[in-house]
Amino acid sequence: MKIIPVELGRRSYAIYLKSGLFGELGRLYRRHELGEQVAVITDRTVHKLYGAQALRSLKAAGLRAQLIPVPAGESSKSLAWADRLYERLIRTGVDREATIIALGGGVVGDLAGFVAASYLRGIAFVQLPTTLVGQVDSAIGGKTGLNHRLGKNLIGAYHQPRFVLIDPEFLTSLPPGEWRSGWAEVLKYALIQDAELFAQLEALPPGKVLSADAELLTGIIAHCCRIKASIVSEDEREAGRRELLNFGHTIGHALEAVTGYRRFRHGEAVAWGMLAAAWLSREQGLLAQEPWGRIERLLSSFELPRDLSGCEDEALTAAMRRDKKSRGGQIRLVLLSDIGQAIRGQAAGDAELRRAFGYLRSRAAGS
Ligand SMILES: NC(=O)c1ccc[n+]([C@@H]2O[C@H](COP(=O)([O-])OP(=O)(O)OC[C@H]3O[C@@H](n4cnc5c(N)ncnc54)[C@H](O)[C@@H]3O)[C@@H](O)[C@H]2O)c1
Ligand SMILES: [Zn+2]
C-alpha cells in the first residue's frame, strides 16, 4: 500500500492507495480515532455499484452505518441538497462524534464535505473517491463546496478529510467520458509542473488509457496525489502556489456555467480551458511554438465535446468576472512559460480573451 502524507500540522492526514483497498474500508477506518457512527453519502449510480459493499465492510468492523444517496450529477451540489442531507442527519440522530464518508466522485466529495464542514459546526469526514477526477484531485486538499445558480463553487468551506482511501479498481466501471475528464486533471499537473509526466501522457493518449496497465495507472495516480499534497501543504488556502491548480479552470468554469453545467463534464471544460490558456500563453510570447504544438496535439486527441453553441464572448467573460479568482473585475489567469512551468496572476484583456474564444470555436468547428 502506498501512503502519501498531506502535511498540515494538526490537521495532517494520509492518502492510502492500493488496488482492492475498498474491501478494507472498515478495518482502515478503525485505525483512526473516529466515532462509531458513520453516514456514507453517495450518488445513486455509485450506490448501486458499491453501496452494499461499503455498508458491509463498515458493519463488519462493528460500526453503525447508514447510506444516503443523492442523484448523480452536478445539480446535487446545491444548497437544496445540502438541506435535505442536514434533515436526514438530524432525523437519524447523527451526532458530533459521527463521521461522514463521501463515496463517489467530485460532486459527492464536495457536497458531503461541505455538509461535514457545516453540520453541528463541523464533524469528521473521510474521502473515498471513485472517479479519476476524485482520486487525483478533488478528494485531496479540503476544498468543499456547492454551486449557486450564478456560478460554480461559490459557496464552500475548507474542511480537511481525516483520511483518503484510493482504490484504482473503482475506475474499472467508469464510463469513457469520465476517464477523459480525469485525464484532463492529470494533464493539468503535467502542464503546470511536470514535463516528465507530460511525456508519459503523450505516449499514452486517452484512447489508450482504458487499457493502461493497472500498475502504470496506480503510479500516475500516486504521482498526482504527491503533487497535490505538496501544493496543499505549502498553501492550504490558496494565497499563492495553490492558484496554479486553477490552470484551465477560469475559462473551463465559464464554459460550464454558460452551458448550465450540463453539456461538459468538469474535466472536459477544463481541457478546453487549458487549450485556450496555452494559446494565450503563446500569444503573449510566454510559450514557445514547439511546446505549444505538443500541447495542442495532445489536447486534440481528447475527443472533447465540440458543441460550443451559446458560448458567446460576452457570456463567457461575464462568467469569468464572477469567478472567485477575479480581483476588482480584472481577469487573471494561470499561463504557461513551458511544459511543466506555470505562472500565476497573468492579466488577460477582453480583446485577447475574445481572440482566445475565437480560437476555441474554430478548433471545435474542426478547422
Ligand atoms: N474540491 C476540489 O478540490 C475539486 C477539484 C476538482 C473538481 N472538483 C469538483 O468535482 C466535480 C467533478 O467530479 P467528477 O468528475 O468526479 O464528477 P461526478 O462526481 O459527477 O462523477 C461523474 C459521474 O461518474 C459516476 N461515477 C462515479 N464513480 C463511478 C464509478 N466508479 N463507476 C461508474 N460511474 C461512476 C457518477 O455517478 C457521475 O455520474 C465538480 O463539481 C468539480 O467542481 C472539486
Ligand atoms: Zn478541476
Side-chain angles (χ1 to χ4, degrees):
M1 177 161 73
K2 290 187 166 67
I3 303 180
I4 300 155
V6 183
E7 310 279 2
L8 285 166
R10 283 175 51 236
R11 284 171 296 110
S12 296
Y13 54 96
I15 302 166
Y16 303 102
L17 168 59
K18 194 179 85 171
S19 232
L21 191 57
F22 179 44
E24 296 170 42
L25 169 63
R27 258 179 294 153
L28 199 60
Y29 181 96
R30 278 292 186 200
R31 283 203 230 150
H32 299 79
E33 279 179 28
L34 291 164
E36 300 292 313
Q37 195 183 16
V38 181
V40 182
I41 296 177
T42 186
D43 74 31
R44 287 182 189 143
T45 304
V46 179
H47 181 224
K48 273 192 217 112
L49 292 165
Y50 304 109
Q53 198 185 336
L55 216 52
R56 237 187 348 263
S57 177
L58 293 166
K59 288 191 169 163
L63 296 157
R64 276 185 292 139
Q66 61 169 322
L67 267 169
I68 315 180
V70 302
E74 191 72 29
S75 57
S76 294
K77 256 176 72 172
S78 65
L79 275 169
W81 272 101
D83 184 52
R84 289 191 188 119
L85 293 174
Y86 295 137
E87 180 161 347
R88 168 79 177 253
L89 297 173
I90 297 164
R91 285 193 189 280
T92 55
V94 171
D95 65 25
R96 286 165 58 185
E97 307 303 315
T99 302
I100 286 178
I101 296 185
L103 172 68
V107 163
V108 163
D110 282 8
L111 169 68
F114 181 77
V115 167
S118 47
Y119 181 67
L120 305 178
R121 297 205 181 86
I123 65 171
F125 164 53
V126 166
Q127 285 272 23
L128 220 73
T130 61
T131 61
L132 188 55
V133 169
Q135 298 192 348
V136 299
D137 190 358
S138 63
I140 307 155
K143 274 195 189 176
T144 74
L146 307 175
N147 301 324
H148 187 274
R149 85 194 132 72
L150 293 179
K152 197 174 150 71
N153 295 336
L154 291 182
I155 298 156
Y158 285 93
H159 191 53
Q160 297 294 342
R162 302 291 282 274
F163 68 90
V164 181
L165 183 164
I166 298 182
D167 183 349
E169 279 181 23
F170 280 127
L171 307 180
T172 53
S173 54
L174 211 57
E178 302 303 337
W179 275 95
R180 187 161 53 231
S181 190
W183 220 235
E185 299 283 7
V186 174
L187 178 59
K188 176 186 77 178
Y189 291 117
L191 287 172
I192 61 171
Q193 77 162 60
D194 199 324
E196 248 175 70
L197 178 60
F198 185 89
Q200 216 179 349
L201 298 177
E202 274 180 319
L204 193 77
K208 283 195 198 151
V209 80
L210 294 168
S211 52
D213 71 281
E215 207 169 310
L216 180 69
L217 184 64
T218 305
I220 289 177
I221 294 171
H223 193 75
C224 293
C225 287
R226 281 192 202 98
I227 296 177
K228 178 116 190 215
S230 100
I231 291 178
V232 168
S233 300
E234 192 181 309
D235 177 25
E236 184 184 10
R237 301 246 162 177
E238 202 171 302
R241 192 169 161 222
R242 190 165 180 171
E243 265 184 45
L244 295 179
L245 294 174
N246 296 324
F247 178 62
H249 279 61
T250 310
I251 296 172
H253 283 165
L255 286 168
E256 285 184 277
V258 164
T259 54
Y261 303 107
R262 277 185 292 270
R263 196 180 304 166
F264 302 103
R265 294 183 172 89
H266 173 69
E268 291 171 337
V270 167
W272 279 121
M274 291 194 293
L275 191 59
W279 187 88
L280 276 167
S281 309
R282 196 203 49 173
E283 281 291 290
Q284 293 197 359
L286 293 167
L287 183 68
Q289 188 61 31
E290 190 266 344
W292 157 249
R294 288 174 68 196
I295 295 168
E296 193 184 35
R297 229 179 351 267
L298 185 53
L299 274 163
S300 302
S301 70
F302 264 56
E303 293 173 21
L304 296 170
R306 285 161 169 269
D307 178 10
L308 295 186
S309 58
C311 300
E312 310 304 339
D313 295 348
E314 293 308 311
L316 289 170
T317 38
M320 286 171 77
R321 283 218 168 73
R322 274 200 295 269
D323 197 89
K324 13 185 210 331
K325 279 101 200 173
S326 84
R327 304 237 201 294
Q330 170 74 66
I331 293 170
R332 295 156 5 117
L333 298 173
V334 178
L335 296 181
L336 298 178
S337 58
D338 202 348
I339 290 170
Q341 272 172 36
I343 325 168
R344 58 198 169 80
Q346 298 296 297
D350 281 15
E352 231 181 341
L353 286 170
R354 274 199 293 277
R355 281 190 292 128
F357 300 146
Y359 164 75
L360 284 189
R361 281 191 285 268
S362 71
R363 289 289 331 185
S367 50

